[in-house]
Amino acid sequence: MTVREILKMGDPRLLRVAEPVTEFDTPAMKELIADMFDTMHAANGAGLAAPQIGVNLQLVIFGFKQNARYPDAPQVPETVLINPILTPLSDEMEEGFEGCLSVPGLRGSVPRYVKLRYEGVDEHNQPIKRDVDGFHARVVQHEVDHLLGKLYPMHIKDFSKFGFTEVMFPDLDPNDDD
Ligand code: NI
């Protein structure tokens, strides 16, 4: 088990556009994906993108049954999504609070598409195609943003809804948001 260091906002490596994955089922890719799950689980994250551990590849993981950082969120299947393409299925957007393991201790409300299709491949280069909505759609948009060099604060419209988790969500365990 290897928990990798998560880069924090301000690190220029979080601002790069990630490269497509071209190798599958190699020892290096297996180790990378295993480390990403170890890192995400150790931080109680809902998702993690490879650029967050300094690996500039189009690879994200997400999913949980119950998440301490988002106790009210419905479960999202544990997923490895590589070389993703997102297609909104309507123009409808909604605001919702997000955190990010690269922006520790903070939450902000950002607009996301309510319904979208995501396509890509899994760790074995098998196709994935899902139509999702709500929190699942939000998590995917957040993670795929990391592959474009974007962090959620770049989407905040109302900065009165951006602040410290321990202040805005005092019922959450602060240890789950660092
Ligand atoms: Ni994030």
Side-chain angles (χ1 to χ4, degrees):
M1 163 157 178
T2 306
V3 174
R4 305 267 200 113
E5 182 192 357
I6 298 175
L7 305 181
K8 294 197 179 102
M9 184 168 66
D11 191 308
R13 289 173 288 177
L14 291 169
L15 303 177
R16 299 181 294 186
V17 175
E19 304 286 342
V21 172
T22 56
E23 291 189 321
F24 296 86
D25 294 309
T26 62
M29 281 298 288
K30 284 179 188 166
E31 184 181 354
L32 170 61
I33 291 167
D35 286 358
M36 285 177 66
F37 275 107
D38 288 344
T39 304
M40 180 177 82
H41 291 146
N44 285 324
L48 186 72
Q52 289 182 275
I53 58 167
V55 176
N56 199 35
L57 291 174
Q58 293 180 23
L59 161 60
V60 303
I61 64 169
F62 52 85
F64 52 85
K65 286 199 173 70
Q66 232 331 296
N67 189 282
R69 298 178 80 238
Y70 300 94
D72 298 327
Q75 72 176 54
V76 174
E78 199 155 85
T79 301
V80 176
L81 180 63
I82 294 172
N83 301 340
I85 296 171
L86 305 189
T87 309
L89 296 177
S90 83
D91 293 335
E92 189 188 351
M93 301 187 85
E94 68 183 359
E95 289 275 336
F97 277 95
E98 297 180 12
C100 179
L101 299 176
S102 294
V103 190
L106 294 163
R107 294 286 168 103
S109 180
V110 298
R112 299 287 188 187
Y113 289 105
V114 175
K115 293 180 185 163
L116 60 80
R117 171 171 299 157
Y118 64 87
E119 295 167 88
V121 296
D122 69 9
E123 66 271 41
H124 307 300
N125 203 17
Q126 295 302 303
I128 295 176
K129 180 175 171 182
R130 291 186 190 146
D131 293 354
V132 299
D133 58 15
F135 193 77
H136 191 160
R138 177 171 295 278
V139 167
V140 174
Q141 288 169 89
H142 177 114
E143 297 310 328
V144 172
D145 257 3
H146 281 294
L147 308 181
L148 304 169
K150 291 205 166 82
L151 299 168
Y152 81 80
M154 298 175 186
H155 293 299
I156 294 173
K157 294 209 165 68
D158 178 354
F159 278 90
S160 72
K161 293 185 178 133
F162 182 45
F164 289 94
T165 311
E166 63 185 26
V167 178
M168 299 204 304
F169 299 95
D171 294 339
L172 284 183
D173 181 345
N175 293 322
D176 288 328
D177 204 55
D178 57 16

PDB file of all heavy atoms in Angstrom, residues 17-41:
ATOM      1  N   VAL A  17      -2.656  20.367 -18.865  1.00  0.00           N
ATOM      2  CA  VAL A  17      -3.601  19.498 -19.569  1.00  0.00           C
ATOM      3  C   VAL A  17      -2.956  18.117 -19.633  1.00  0.00           C
ATOM      4  O   VAL A  17      -1.798  17.979 -20.050  1.00  0.00           O
ATOM      5  CB  VAL A  17      -3.905  20.038 -20.983  1.00  0.00           C
ATOM      6  CG1 VAL A  17      -4.787  19.068 -21.749  1.00  0.00           C
ATOM      7  CG2 VAL A  17      -4.572  21.410 -20.885  1.00  0.00           C
ATOM      8  N   ALA A  18      -3.703  17.096 -19.195  1.00  0.00           N
ATOM      9  CA  ALA A  18      -3.129  15.752 -19.080  1.00  0.00           C
ATOM     10  C   ALA A  18      -3.042  15.054 -20.437  1.00  0.00           C
ATOM     11  O   ALA A  18      -3.825  15.320 -21.352  1.00  0.00           O
ATOM     12  CB  ALA A  18      -3.957  14.919 -18.110  1.00  0.00           C
ATOM     13  N   GLU A  19      -2.102  14.130 -20.521  1.00  0.00           N
ATOM     14  CA  GLU A  19      -1.882  13.362 -21.752  1.00  0.00           C
ATOM     15  C   GLU A  19      -2.752  12.099 -21.757  1.00  0.00           C
ATOM     16  O   GLU A  19      -3.004  11.507 -20.702  1.00  0.00           O
ATOM     17  CB  GLU A  19      -0.411  12.904 -21.823  1.00  0.00           C
ATOM     18  CG  GLU A  19       0.610  14.018 -21.733  1.00  0.00           C
ATOM     19  CD  GLU A  19       0.680  14.827 -23.016  1.00  0.00           C
ATOM     20  OE1 GLU A  19       0.210  14.328 -24.055  1.00  0.00           O
ATOM     21  OE2 GLU A  19       1.202  15.951 -22.954  1.00  0.00           O
ATOM     22  N   PRO A  20      -3.186  11.651 -22.936  1.00  0.00           N
ATOM     23  CA  PRO A  20      -3.953  10.398 -22.993  1.00  0.00           C
ATOM     24  C   PRO A  20      -3.120   9.206 -22.512  1.00  0.00           C
ATOM     25  O   PRO A  20      -1.905   9.180 -22.705  1.00  0.00           O
ATOM     26  CB  PRO A  20      -4.281  10.238 -24.481  1.00  0.00           C
ATOM     27  CG  PRO A  20      -4.048  11.571 -25.099  1.00  0.00           C
ATOM     28  CD  PRO A  20      -3.022  12.273 -24.250  1.00  0.00           C
ATOM     29  N   VAL A  21      -3.828   8.250 -21.927  1.00  0.00           N
ATOM     30  CA  VAL A  21      -3.192   6.981 -21.543  1.00  0.00           C
ATOM     31  C   VAL A  21      -3.108   6.103 -22.786  1.00  0.00           C
ATOM     32  O   VAL A  21      -4.092   5.976 -23.535  1.00  0.00           O
ATOM     33  CB  VAL A  21      -4.016   6.277 -20.439  1.00  0.00           C
ATOM     34  CG1 VAL A  21      -3.482   4.871 -20.177  1.00  0.00           C
ATOM     35  CG2 VAL A  21      -4.008   7.112 -19.165  1.00  0.00           C
ATOM     36  N   THR A  22      -1.942   5.501 -23.016  1.00  0.00           N
ATOM     37  CA  THR A  22      -1.769   4.633 -24.187  1.00  0.00           C
ATOM     38  C   THR A  22      -1.368   3.208 -23.797  1.00  0.00           C
ATOM     39  O   THR A  22      -1.310   2.326 -24.651  1.00  0.00           O
ATOM     40  CB  THR A  22      -0.687   5.201 -25.135  1.00  0.00           C
ATOM     41  OG1 THR A  22       0.517   5.370 -24.395  1.00  0.00           O
ATOM     42  CG2 THR A  22      -1.114   6.539 -25.722  1.00  0.00           C
ATOM     43  N   GLU A  23      -1.078   2.989 -22.513  1.00  0.00           N
ATOM     44  CA  GLU A  23      -0.670   1.654 -22.052  1.00  0.00           C
ATOM     45  C   GLU A  23      -1.682   1.159 -21.036  1.00  0.00           C
ATOM     46  O   GLU A  23      -2.105   1.923 -20.166  1.00  0.00           O
ATOM     47  CB  GLU A  23       0.681   1.721 -21.340  1.00  0.00           C
ATOM     48  CG  GLU A  23       1.852   2.033 -22.221  1.00  0.00           C
ATOM     49  CD  GLU A  23       3.140   1.859 -21.429  1.00  0.00           C
ATOM     50  OE1 GLU A  23       3.149   2.230 -20.234  1.00  0.00           O
ATOM     51  OE2 GLU A  23       4.106   1.347 -22.001  1.00  0.00           O
ATOM     52  N   PHE A  24      -2.019  -0.112 -21.143  1.00  0.00           N
ATOM     53  CA  PHE A  24      -2.992  -0.700 -20.216  1.00  0.00           C
ATOM     54  C   PHE A  24      -2.443  -2.026 -19.682  1.00  0.00           C
ATOM     55  O   PHE A  24      -1.712  -2.728 -20.382  1.00  0.00           O
ATOM     56  CB  PHE A  24      -4.329  -0.939 -20.925  1.00  0.00           C
ATOM     57  CG  PHE A  24      -4.977   0.344 -21.371  1.00  0.00           C
ATOM     58  CD1 PHE A  24      -4.664   0.913 -22.590  1.00  0.00           C
ATOM     59  CD2 PHE A  24      -5.870   1.009 -20.540  1.00  0.00           C
ATOM     60  CE1 PHE A  24      -5.234   2.115 -22.994  1.00  0.00           C
ATOM     61  CE2 PHE A  24      -6.433   2.197 -20.929  1.00  0.00           C
ATOM     62  CZ  PHE A  24      -6.120   2.749 -22.164  1.00  0.00           C
ATOM     63  N   ASP A  25      -2.843  -2.332 -18.440  1.00  0.00           N
ATOM     64  CA  ASP A  25      -2.483  -3.612 -17.818  1.00  0.00           C
ATOM     65  C   ASP A  25      -0.973  -3.824 -17.708  1.00  0.00           C
ATOM     66  O   ASP A  25      -0.508  -4.970 -17.629  1.00  0.00           O
ATOM     67  CB  ASP A  25      -3.137  -4.785 -18.580  1.00  0.00           C
ATOM     68  CG  ASP A  25      -4.652  -4.752 -18.449  1.00  0.00           C
ATOM     69  OD1 ASP A  25      -5.140  -4.662 -17.313  1.00  0.00           O
ATOM     70  OD2 ASP A  25      -5.342  -4.790 -19.490  1.00  0.00           O
ATOM     71  N   THR A  26      -0.220  -2.756 -17.730  1.00  0.00           N
ATOM     72  CA  THR A  26       1.221  -2.876 -17.479  1.00  0.00           C
ATOM     73  C   THR A  26       1.452  -2.821 -15.969  1.00  0.00           C
ATOM     74  O   THR A  26       0.610  -2.293 -15.226  1.00  0.00           O
ATOM     75  CB  THR A  26       1.998  -1.726 -18.141  1.00  0.00           C
ATOM     76  OG1 THR A  26       1.549  -0.498 -17.551  1.00  0.00           O
ATOM     77  CG2 THR A  26       1.774  -1.687 -19.648  1.00  0.00           C
ATOM     78  N   PRO A  27       2.583  -3.353 -15.504  1.00  0.00           N
ATOM     79  CA  PRO A  27       2.862  -3.261 -14.063  1.00  0.00           C
ATOM     80  C   PRO A  27       2.827  -1.812 -13.563  1.00  0.00           C
ATOM     81  O   PRO A  27       2.316  -1.548 -12.465  1.00  0.00           O
ATOM     82  CB  PRO A  27       4.263  -3.863 -13.943  1.00  0.00           C
ATOM     83  CG  PRO A  27       4.363  -4.810 -15.099  1.00  0.00           C
ATOM     84  CD  PRO A  27       3.590  -4.161 -16.215  1.00  0.00           C
ATOM     85  N   ALA A  28       3.348  -0.894 -14.362  1.00  0.00           N
ATOM     86  CA  ALA A  28       3.377   0.515 -13.926  1.00  0.00           C
ATOM     87  C   ALA A  28       1.964   1.084 -13.784  1.00  0.00           C
ATOM     88  O   ALA A  28       1.672   1.815 -12.827  1.00  0.00           O
ATOM     89  CB  ALA A  28       4.184   1.344 -14.924  1.00  0.00           C
ATOM     90  N   MET A  29       1.089   0.750 -14.738  1.00  0.00           N
ATOM     91  CA  MET A  29      -0.287   1.256 -14.657  1.00  0.00           C
ATOM     92  C   MET A  29      -1.032   0.618 -13.485  1.00  0.00           C
ATOM     93  O   MET A  29      -1.792   1.292 -12.782  1.00  0.00           O
ATOM     94  CB  MET A  29      -1.039   0.974 -15.968  1.00  0.00           C
ATOM     95  CG  MET A  29      -0.724   1.940 -17.070  1.00  0.00           C
ATOM     96  SD  MET A  29      -1.184   3.661 -16.673  1.00  0.00           S
ATOM     97  CE  MET A  29      -2.966   3.569 -16.761  1.00  0.00           C
ATOM     98  N   LYS A  30      -0.817  -0.685 -13.277  1.00  0.00           N
ATOM     99  CA  LYS A  30      -1.486  -1.352 -12.148  1.00  0.00           C
ATOM    100  C   LYS A  30      -1.056  -0.721 -10.830  1.00  0.00           C
ATOM    101  O   LYS A  30      -1.884  -0.501  -9.930  1.00  0.00           O
ATOM    102  CB  LYS A  30      -1.162  -2.848 -12.153  1.00  0.00           C
ATOM    103  CG  LYS A  30      -1.936  -3.605 -13.218  1.00  0.00           C
ATOM    104  CD  LYS A  30      -1.572  -5.089 -13.201  1.00  0.00           C
ATOM    105  CE  LYS A  30      -2.199  -5.790 -14.389  1.00  0.00           C
ATOM    106  NZ  LYS A  30      -1.639  -7.121 -14.606  1.00  0.00           N
ATOM    107  N   GLU A  31       0.234  -0.451 -10.709  1.00  0.00           N
ATOM    108  CA  GLU A  31       0.741   0.149  -9.476  1.00  0.00           C
ATOM    109  C   GLU A  31       0.192   1.561  -9.295  1.00  0.00           C
ATOM    110  O   GLU A  31      -0.215   1.950  -8.193  1.00  0.00           O
ATOM    111  CB  GLU A  31       2.273   0.182  -9.518  1.00  0.00           C
ATOM    112  CG  GLU A  31       2.882   0.695  -8.228  1.00  0.00           C
ATOM    113  CD  GLU A  31       4.406   0.751  -8.280  1.00  0.00           C
ATOM    114  OE1 GLU A  31       4.997   0.290  -9.278  1.00  0.00           O
ATOM    115  OE2 GLU A  31       4.985   1.268  -7.326  1.00  0.00           O
ATOM    116  N   LEU A  32       0.147   2.316 -10.378  1.00  0.00           N
ATOM    117  CA  LEU A  32      -0.381   3.682 -10.306  1.00  0.00           C
ATOM    118  C   LEU A  32      -1.836   3.680  -9.822  1.00  0.00           C
ATOM    119  O   LEU A  32      -2.207   4.442  -8.924  1.00  0.00           O
ATOM    120  CB  LEU A  32      -0.276   4.353 -11.686  1.00  0.00           C
ATOM    121  CG  LEU A  32      -0.992   5.690 -11.832  1.00  0.00           C
ATOM    122  CD1 LEU A  32      -0.426   6.732 -10.867  1.00  0.00           C
ATOM    123  CD2 LEU A  32      -0.882   6.198 -13.280  1.00  0.00           C
ATOM    124  N   ILE A  33      -2.658   2.812 -10.411  1.00  0.00           N
ATOM    125  CA  ILE A  33      -4.079   2.788 -10.061  1.00  0.00           C
ATOM    126  C   ILE A  33      -4.261   2.310  -8.619  1.00  0.00           C
ATOM    127  O   ILE A  33      -5.068   2.868  -7.859  1.00  0.00           O
ATOM    128  CB  ILE A  33      -4.865   1.931 -11.077  1.00  0.00           C
ATOM    129  CG1 ILE A  33      -4.879   2.650 -12.441  1.00  0.00           C
ATOM    130  CG2 ILE A  33      -6.289   1.669 -10.592  1.00  0.00           C
ATOM    131  CD1 ILE A  33      -5.333   1.786 -13.601  1.00  0.00           C
ATOM    132  N   ALA A  34      -3.493   1.300  -8.217  1.00  0.00           N
ATOM    133  CA  ALA A  34      -3.580   0.828  -6.824  1.00  0.00           C
ATOM    134  C   ALA A  34      -3.178   1.937  -5.852  1.00  0.00           C
ATOM    135  O   ALA A  34      -3.823   2.144  -4.820  1.00  0.00           O
ATOM    136  CB  ALA A  34      -2.697  -0.399  -6.629  1.00  0.00           C
ATOM    137  N   ASP A  35      -2.130   2.656  -6.193  1.00  0.00           N
ATOM    138  CA  ASP A  35      -1.693   3.762  -5.334  1.00  0.00           C
ATOM    139  C   ASP A  35      -2.743   4.859  -5.272  1.00  0.00           C
ATOM    140  O   ASP A  35      -2.944   5.488  -4.229  1.00  0.00           O
ATOM    141  CB  ASP A  35      -0.377   4.361  -5.849  1.00  0.00           C
ATOM    142  CG  ASP A  35       0.829   3.480  -5.573  1.00  0.00           C
ATOM    143  OD1 ASP A  35       0.661   2.414  -4.945  1.00  0.00           O
ATOM    144  OD2 ASP A  35       1.930   3.863  -6.003  1.00  0.00           O
ATOM    145  N   MET A  36      -3.400   5.106  -6.396  1.00  0.00           N
ATOM    146  CA  MET A  36      -4.445   6.144  -6.390  1.00  0.00           C
ATOM    147  C   MET A  36      -5.587   5.748  -5.455  1.00  0.00           C
ATOM    148  O   MET A  36      -6.100   6.581  -4.701  1.00  0.00           O
ATOM    149  CB  MET A  36      -4.964   6.406  -7.809  1.00  0.00           C
ATOM    150  CG  MET A  36      -3.974   7.224  -8.645  1.00  0.00           C
ATOM    151  SD  MET A  36      -4.523   7.474 -10.352  1.00  0.00           S
ATOM    152  CE  MET A  36      -5.972   8.519 -10.106  1.00  0.00           C
ATOM    153  N   PHE A  37      -5.998   4.473  -5.494  1.00  0.00           N
ATOM    154  CA  PHE A  37      -7.064   4.042  -4.574  1.00  0.00           C
ATOM    155  C   PHE A  37      -6.595   4.132  -3.126  1.00  0.00           C
ATOM    156  O   PHE A  37      -7.343   4.579  -2.251  1.00  0.00           O
ATOM    157  CB  PHE A  37      -7.556   2.632  -4.923  1.00  0.00           C
ATOM    158  CG  PHE A  37      -8.616   2.621  -5.989  1.00  0.00           C
ATOM    159  CD1 PHE A  37      -8.328   2.189  -7.275  1.00  0.00           C
ATOM    160  CD2 PHE A  37      -9.907   3.059  -5.717  1.00  0.00           C
ATOM    161  CE1 PHE A  37      -9.312   2.190  -8.265  1.00  0.00           C
ATOM    162  CE2 PHE A  37     -10.898   3.060  -6.696  1.00  0.00           C
ATOM    163  CZ  PHE A  37     -10.587   2.631  -7.981  1.00  0.00           C
ATOM    164  N   ASP A  38      -5.359   3.711  -2.864  1.00  0.00           N
ATOM    165  CA  ASP A  38      -4.834   3.823  -1.496  1.00  0.00           C
ATOM    166  C   ASP A  38      -4.842   5.272  -1.031  1.00  0.00           C
ATOM    167  O   ASP A  38      -5.205   5.579   0.108  1.00  0.00           O
ATOM    168  CB  ASP A  38      -3.399   3.287  -1.429  1.00  0.00           C
ATOM    169  CG  ASP A  38      -3.318   1.772  -1.558  1.00  0.00           C
ATOM    170  OD1 ASP A  38      -4.364   1.109  -1.398  1.00  0.00           O
ATOM    171  OD2 ASP A  38      -2.216   1.268  -1.814  1.00  0.00           O
ATOM    172  N   THR A  39      -4.433   6.158  -1.920  1.00  0.00           N
ATOM    173  CA  THR A  39      -4.342   7.581  -1.580  1.00  0.00           C
ATOM    174  C   THR A  39      -5.734   8.170  -1.360  1.00  0.00           C
ATOM    175  O   THR A  39      -5.963   8.901  -0.392  1.00  0.00           O
ATOM    176  CB  THR A  39      -3.596   8.333  -2.704  1.00  0.00           C
ATOM    177  OG1 THR A  39      -2.318   7.719  -2.898  1.00  0.00           O
ATOM    178  CG2 THR A  39      -3.417   9.796  -2.368  1.00  0.00           C
ATOM    179  N   MET A  40      -6.659   7.835  -2.257  1.00  0.00           N
ATOM    180  CA  MET A  40      -8.031   8.349  -2.122  1.00  0.00           C
ATOM    181  C   MET A  40      -8.679   7.835  -0.837  1.00  0.00           C
ATOM    182  O   MET A  40      -9.306   8.601  -0.098  1.00  0.00           O
ATOM    183  CB  MET A  40      -8.869   7.940  -3.336  1.00  0.00           C
ATOM    184  CG  MET A  40     -10.313   8.429  -3.264  1.00  0.00           C
ATOM    185  SD  MET A  40     -11.279   8.021  -4.735  1.00  0.00           S
ATOM    186  CE  MET A  40     -11.750   6.325  -4.395  1.00  0.00           C
ATOM    187  N   HIS A  41      -8.516   6.538  -0.566  1.00  0.00           N
ATOM    188  CA  HIS A  41      -9.158   5.978   0.627  1.00  0.00           C
ATOM    189  C   HIS A  41      -8.540   6.542   1.897  1.00  0.00           C
ATOM    190  O   HIS A  41      -9.254   6.819   2.869  1.00  0.00           O
ATOM    191  CB  HIS A  41      -9.071   4.452   0.609  1.00  0.00           C
ATOM    192  CG  HIS A  41      -9.926   3.828  -0.455  1.00  0.00           C
ATOM    193  ND1 HIS A  41      -9.556   2.678  -1.124  1.00  0.00           N
ATOM    194  CD2 HIS A  41     -11.117   4.192  -0.992  1.00  0.00           C
ATOM    195  CE1 HIS A  41     -10.494   2.367  -2.016  1.00  0.00           C
ATOM    196  NE2 HIS A  41     -11.448   3.268  -1.954  1.00  0.00           N
TER     197      HIS A  41
END
